[in-house]
Amino acid sequence: MVVVTREFTEITVVGEDDTGLIAEVTSLLFERSINIEDLDQAVREGVFRMTMHVDTSDMVCTEGKLREDLNDLGEDLGVDVKVRFPADRETQQIAVLVTKESHCLEAIFEAWASGDLDADVNVVIGNHPDLEPLAEKYDVPFHNIGDENGNPDEEQLLELLAEYDADLIVLARYMRILSPSVVFRYESQIINVHPSLLPAFPGAEAYLQALEEGVRIAGVTAHYVTTDLDQGPIITQRAFNVPQDSDTEPEDLRKIGQPLEAEALLEAIDLHLRDEVAVHRGRTKLRNPEESSAQLGAPKELNDLVPDRPIDGLGEFVAEHEETEADD
């Protein structure tokens, strides 16, 4: 596995699957003395996606010329090509997708306004108009891409994400499933928050599912988005005790969980922006755990509450019995 750093240029190619796409792009890079450090490609539902991290330090053309050549090649091949050089990421841009629930968007705005968010929130995109006043309060453009039933226009969504040059897309309780065309374009750049301890209770009505299954501990999860619903690499989680009252309703869990949803989402955003997490084989891990103060799971204080014995095969009687047999 190549450890991808922000010193590499990122090239993303997305479009209808066809033969020869990889060869065409890699040949262009080879001709310009650009070394490919990492390449990942996949096809889902006829959509081709390739992400490359390349070393452009010795390339024999300017950045502008490389952009132009790749754009021309993309037009010839019928694919979209996006190039992002290291300097392009000095100030990262966040696009937030919302529906009607305000708590996560409000937490993001508060963190941004206080300087705790190392990026700019430069657009809010909704499939309903309900949260436009909150965006206006923070002087952030709001675009409603939903029809009267909330069905989003994904072509418009892609146009807006490109227009605002989004580095990170945050689903702040965005209640729609993104198509592979969107997910593939922004691989490992979309973070969602879900109201359960995934992989338990994916999909809709997670709090209701938790109550129906009688769990004693519920929670929330922030994760990277993949084309598999609520199955992307987990970044952060928070847990809470389910009230034991017989008349507990999903709304009761929602009131407990929503502040934790915002907290888990903000921590996941922060870890991503500071490049502290990496995805490997479908799981996230800290890039430099020895140097990081981040805690991806429960608070470290929980470790002190976990008993250290008994452990299978290590009980006192078993150990003494094994010593006796060895002496015999």
Side-chain angles (χ1 to χ4, degrees):
M1 178 186 67
V2 175
V3 178
V4 176
T5 72
R6 299 194 180 190
E7 298 305 312
F8 293 140
T9 295
E10 183 180 83
I11 300 173
T12 305
V13 181
V14 180
E16 186 176 345
D17 186 32
D18 198 2
T19 58
L21 291 176
I22 297 176
E24 292 281 359
V25 177
T26 55
S27 295
L28 184 150
L29 298 177
F30 175 76
E31 292 167 359
R32 289 153 183 76
S33 299
I34 296 171
N35 189 49
I36 299 173
E37 299 290 343
D38 184 56
L39 185 153
D40 178 64
Q41 62 88 25
V43 177
R44 186 66 63 88
E45 297 182 17
V47 178
F48 170 84
R49 188 268 308 156
M50 176 172 65
T51 301
M52 294 183 292
H53 293 91
V54 303
D55 184 356
T56 54
S57 58
D58 295 323
M59 69 178 178
V60 292
C61 65
T62 64
E63 292 184 357
K65 178 60 174 170
L66 178 61
R67 287 187 194 274
E68 180 182 340
D69 291 345
L70 284 170
N71 285 335
D72 290 344
L73 178 62
E75 291 182 3
D76 292 341
L77 298 175
V79 296
D80 294 332
V81 182
K82 183 172 69 173
V83 185
R84 192 172 296 279
F85 292 97
D88 296 337
R89 292 191 287 268
E90 290 179 355
T91 302
Q92 298 188 78
Q93 306 296 322
I94 296 177
V96 185
L97 274 58
V98 298
T99 295
K100 294 183 177 182
E101 296 181 20
S102 64
H103 56 289
C104 286
L105 178 61
E106 186 174 6
I108 291 170
F109 275 146
E110 289 176 353
W112 180 44
S114 65
D116 292 334
L117 200 62
D118 190 22
D120 286 333
V121 180
N122 64 343
V123 65
V124 177
I125 303 171
N127 64 318
H128 287 280
D130 299 53
L131 299 185
E132 184 171 5
L134 183 56
E136 289 178 346
K137 174 184 176 181
Y138 288 89
D139 198 26
V140 173
F142 182 94
H143 296 270
N144 177 24
I145 61 169
D147 62 16
E148 62 275 9
N149 297 316
N151 299 312
D153 181 341
E154 285 211 339
E155 288 189 9
Q156 185 182 2
L157 172 61
L158 287 171
E159 290 173 359
L160 288 168
L161 294 176
E163 176 186 344
Y164 286 94
D165 198 21
D167 294 289
L168 176 64
I169 302 167
V170 177
L171 308 188
R173 300 299 290 135
Y174 180 68
M175 308 303 288
R176 292 288 173 172
I177 299 173
L178 296 176
S179 73
S181 182
V182 177
V183 174
F184 271 18
R185 278 174 169 80
Y186 295 92
E187 185 84 1
S188 297
Q189 292 175 266
I190 309 175
I191 295 177
N192 179 50
V193 64
H194 181 76
S196 81
L197 289 172
L198 292 174
F201 312 134
E205 300 294 342
Y207 289 134
L208 175 60
Q209 292 183 63
L211 283 178
E212 289 179 340
E213 293 297 330
V215 300
R216 300 305 184 193
I217 297 175
V220 304
T221 303
H223 65 96
Y224 285 115
V225 173
T226 66
T227 53
D228 297 314
L229 178 63
D230 295 332
Q231 295 182 43
I234 292 170
I235 308 173
T236 57
Q237 293 184 301
R238 295 290 187 275
F240 60 90
N241 288 319
V242 175
Q244 298 305 300
D245 301 334
S246 60
D247 58 350
T248 299
E249 298 290 337
E251 183 60 29
D252 299 314
L253 297 193
R254 192 170 290 112
K255 289 179 181 178
I256 300 172
Q258 284 186 343
L260 294 176
E261 291 171 21
E263 182 180 290
L265 181 60
L266 279 177
E267 184 180 14
I269 293 170
D270 183 58
L271 288 167
H272 176 91
L273 293 175
R274 290 191 282 111
D275 203 27
E276 286 208 44
V277 289
V279 178
H280 180 52
R281 294 182 178 178
R283 298 183 62 183
T284 58
K285 66 176 184 177
L286 292 173
R287 292 190 187 277
N288 299 295
E290 298 82 5
E291 302 174 8
S292 177
S293 60
Q295 175 71 13
L296 299 185
K300 294 180 179 179
E301 291 77 11
L302 179 64
N303 298 338
D304 297 330
L305 302 177
V306 178
D308 59 4
R309 65 165 304 280
I311 299 174
D312 184 42
L314 297 182
E316 288 86 347
F317 175 79
V318 174
E320 292 174 0
H321 182 67
E322 288 177 346
E323 290 178 2
T324 302
E325 287 188 340
D327 292 340
D328 292 344

